[in-house]
């Protein structure tokens, strides 16, 4: 009979007790989602990889101080978000010219796929124009699907602050993305990167 898999909290406790494999298992479980958050927060694969590495090191060192007052995933993602924000602020202090997201010699793709891709790029550019304090909550809530409570915990701010920042950010996105849809619907602009395109 197979023993039940350890919970995240079990792994944190085992790591703090000296188990050399527990933290690696925790990272393996949650790496993909943490990577998605990092990439959308810093918007650059190399910066995201560096931020994630910084976050893993911080979490590894801080695990013995973890208190079970929140979910382990919330604690981990808060560390990731903070590492990303540190990199964003450093990058803003030394801005660089971004390289194109895609190579020049691309294989031909159907028109619908091109339209979908262009729409995602437009949404990404619109998100990039938001102030950091609005963009990050919107990425966490509207793109990654975290609850307001989880986002508040990750960012260390009140739930009401998350809601107000998301509302202000969505209002700005409505103006930036109004050309993608009927103007009468601008007040209700989804910020998900829809798999089916935005204009229907």
């Amino acid at each position: 009979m197979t023993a039940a898999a350890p919970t995240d909290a079990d792994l944190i406790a085992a790591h703090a007790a000296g188990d050399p494999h527990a933290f690696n298992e925790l990272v393996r479980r949650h790496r993909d989602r943490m990577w998605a958050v990092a990439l959308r927060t810093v918007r650059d694969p190399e910066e995201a990889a560096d931020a994630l590495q910084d976050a893993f090191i911080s979490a590894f060192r801080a695990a013995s101080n973890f208190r079970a007052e929140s979910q382990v995933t919330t604690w981990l993602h808060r560390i990731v978000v903070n590492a990303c924000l540190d990199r964003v602020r450093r990058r803003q202090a030394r801005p660089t010219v971004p390289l194109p997201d895609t190579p020049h010699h691309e294989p031909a793709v159907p028109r619908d796929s091109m339209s979908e891709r262009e729409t995602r790029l437009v949404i990404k550019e619109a998100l990039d124009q938001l102030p950091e304090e609005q963009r990050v909550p919107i990425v966490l809530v509207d793109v990654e699907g975290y609850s307001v409570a989880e986002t508040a915990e990750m960012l260390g701010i009140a739930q009401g602050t998350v809601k107000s920042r998301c509302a202000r950010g969505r209002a700005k996105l409505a103006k930036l993305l109004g050309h993608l849809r009927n103007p009468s619907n601008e007040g209700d602009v989804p910020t998900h990167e829809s798999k089916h395109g935005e204009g229907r």
Side-chain angles (χ1 to χ4, degrees):
M1 184 174 179
T2 304
T7 65
D8 290 346
D10 291 338
L11 290 172
I12 284 284
H15 169 66
D19 185 330
H21 306 295
F23 191 79
N24 286 340
E25 172 60 19
L26 196 65
V27 170
R28 186 193 65 76
R29 287 183 184 182
H30 302 294
R31 181 186 179 93
D32 287 350
R33 197 171 185 189
M34 288 194 287
W35 166 252
V37 171
L39 187 58
R40 285 195 169 101
T41 302
V42 301
R43 311 182 305 282
D44 177 272
E46 290 186 10
E47 289 280 344
D50 288 343
L52 205 53
Q53 183 176 18
D54 291 346
F56 287 153
I57 292 171
S58 295
F60 184 91
R61 293 172 175 169
S64 60
N65 298 322
F66 173 75
R67 299 175 184 175
E69 297 171 353
S70 63
Q71 294 291 327
V72 173
T73 50
T74 301
W75 173 77
L76 280 173
H77 283 85
R78 181 175 183 177
I79 293 174
V80 171
V81 169
N82 285 336
C84 289
L85 294 180
D86 285 344
R87 292 212 161 251
V88 168
R89 291 174 188 129
R90 273 182 270 171
R91 187 171 61 186
Q92 287 173 344
R94 46 176 177 77
T96 58
V97 177
L99 296 174
D101 288 335
T102 56
H104 292 293
H105 303 290
E106 296 180 349
V109 294
R111 182 175 177 180
D112 286 349
S113 296
M114 284 296 294
S115 176
E116 177 185 328
R117 187 175 195 170
E118 289 168 2
T119 298
R120 287 201 304 268
L121 288 174
V122 168
I123 293 172
K124 179 185 174 184
E125 289 171 1
L127 281 169
D128 289 353
Q129 292 182 51
L130 295 180
E132 175 189 306
E133 68 171 17
Q134 295 170 10
R135 176 172 48 78
V136 175
I138 283 180
V139 165
L140 292 172
V141 175
D142 291 340
V143 179
E144 293 301 323
Y146 289 103
S147 70
V148 169
E150 289 172 322
T151 300
E153 176 69 21
M154 288 181 209
L155 299 179
I157 58 179
Q159 292 185 37
T161 304
V162 172
K163 292 177 182 178
S164 64
R165 290 181 180 180
C166 283
R168 289 197 299 271
R170 289 169 187 149
K172 290 182 180 179
L173 285 175
K175 294 178 181 178
L176 292 168
L177 300 175
H179 63 284
L180 293 180
R181 56 191 52 77
N182 189 312
S184 64
N185 293 330
E186 285 186 7
D188 184 20
V189 179
T191 53
H192 291 279
E193 295 181 4
S194 171
K195 295 180 180 178
H196 304 293
E198 294 294 321
R200 286 191 293 175

